[in-house]
Amino acid sequence: MLANYLDPSRDQLALKKDIFERLAAYRPYPNLLTKLAVIQALDGQPALARQNIVLLLASYPDAAPVTYAMLQRRPEPEVQPLAELAKTAAEAYLKAGANTDA
């Protein structure tokens, strides 16, 4: 999928955002939702970015540790709230498994 080859960065942000939004509408899988959330955060849409991370974590709880790992490596300060959210979910998942309300 195209999203696997695009880095969520400020470079060509509008173009990437359009591509990721279209792909997420068609097939919202964890890696894609994570990258879309990063792009949205970089584009000044923190609430929408958070909403996509919440959707990801609710739909794919077993992806929480990987999502946290992806987000915590990002240097941009706009992404750090998303990393903290994913960290909380990853810790809950590792403690209680998929049967958690985190």
Side-chain angles (χ1 to χ4, degrees), residues 10-83:
R10 295 183 200 281
D11 183 46
Q12 299 180 331
L13 188 63
L15 175 64
K16 289 178 184 178
K17 183 178 169 201
D18 181 57
I19 290 169
F20 279 95
E21 285 175 344
R22 288 175 187 228
L23 291 171
Y26 176 69
R27 184 172 292 163
Y29 66 96
N31 186 40
L32 177 61
L33 289 172
T34 302
K35 289 182 174 185
L36 176 58
V38 170
I39 287 172
Q40 290 167 328
L42 296 177
D43 195 36
Q45 298 178 306
L48 199 52
R50 186 181 196 289
Q51 179 181 346
N52 277 308
I53 293 298
V54 168
L55 173 65
L56 182 163
L57 296 170
S59 300
Y60 304 99
D62 57 331
V66 173
T67 301
Y68 170 60
M70 287 177 66
L71 293 171
Q72 64 106 13
R73 287 190 299 249
R74 303 292 308 194
E76 304 92 349
E78 298 92 336
V79 178
Q80 294 315 302
L82 304 176

